[in-house]
Amino acid sequence: NLGASDSEKNNIGFGDQQRTGDDERALKEFFKPEFRNRLDMICKFNKLDPLAIKKIVVKFVDELKKSLKNTHDITLNLSESVVDYLAEQGYDSKMGARPLSRKIDELIRVPLGKKIVFDKIKNSTVTATLVGETIEFITVQKVTAKVGADGVITVE
């Protein structure tokens, strides 16, 4: 993260200009020469692009989906607009993708958890959709049908 604050400074001129030398200066100011001489390589990372941010959202949501499936037999689906909204709301140019997890907790995990507890949802499919700037959950109870030996169909 060395030099990250310097890269946020406004550039003078046109276009996206690369600030050369700022990273090296930040490295020299932060680490002593004895440590810098032991480094084999320095990796510089670019900012995340929108596709990478969406992939991170999907990764966090997949973890939530597995948990819901294992604990409550709930299948969670998110519309593309919800994924886009979470990526937009959870990404910060200065903090990167770090706030995404908290935003997913705030907008998906907590409201859905309350819905599960108070509406006693289990064995269902829940679809999250974006209505305006609000995420709404649509719940559909899963139905299973069994055919008995006598040919009678039982719906559970």
Side-chain angles (χ1 to χ4, degrees):
N1 291 334
L2 291 176
S5 61
D6 291 336
S7 68
E8 291 296 321
K9 292 179 183 173
N10 292 334
N11 292 325
I12 298 173
F14 298 101
D16 186 24
Q17 299 173 352
Q18 182 71 20
R19 295 175 148 267
T20 56
D22 286 345
D23 296 335
E24 287 81 13
R25 183 181 48 76
L27 188 71
K28 287 179 181 178
E29 290 175 2
F30 192 79
F31 292 117
K32 294 184 178 188
E34 296 82 11
F35 179 77
R36 288 194 318 263
N37 288 334
R38 294 175 187 265
L39 298 176
D40 292 329
M41 184 183 334
I42 298 169
C43 297
K44 297 179 184 181
F45 294 95
N46 296 326
K47 292 184 179 183
L48 295 171
D49 65 350
L51 179 61
I53 297 165
K54 286 182 187 180
K55 286 181 178 181
I56 295 169
V57 168
V58 169
K59 176 194 175 291
F60 285 139
V61 170
D62 282 348
E63 292 170 3
L64 176 59
K65 285 180 178 183
K66 287 178 188 173
S67 173
L68 289 169
K69 188 70 175 167
N70 292 336
T71 57
H72 300 288
D73 193 23
I74 293 175
T75 302
L76 176 64
N77 298 315
L78 271 64
S79 68
E80 188 69 28
S81 59
V82 171
V83 173
D84 292 342
Y85 184 72
L86 291 171
E88 176 188 313
Q89 295 296 310
Y91 178 74
D92 180 6
S93 62
K94 292 180 182 167
M95 296 291 293
R98 290 180 189 94
L100 270 175
S101 180
R102 286 187 297 276
K103 192 54 80 170
I104 291 169
D105 285 349
E106 174 190 331
L107 298 175
I108 302 289
R109 187 182 305 263
V110 171
L112 185 56
K114 288 179 182 178
K115 190 169 181 65
I116 290 169
V117 170
F118 294 120
D119 295 346
K120 295 181 174 61
I121 297 173
K122 62 180 181 178
N123 192 27
S124 301
T125 298
V126 178
T127 303
T129 59
L130 190 65
V131 178
E133 292 204 4
T134 304
I135 296 174
E136 293 187 2
F137 300 99
I138 301 165
T139 305
V140 177
Q141 182 75 31
K142 294 178 186 174
V143 178
T144 55
K146 296 180 183 176
V147 178
D150 56 358
V152 176
I153 299 174
T154 308
V155 178
E156 297 176 356

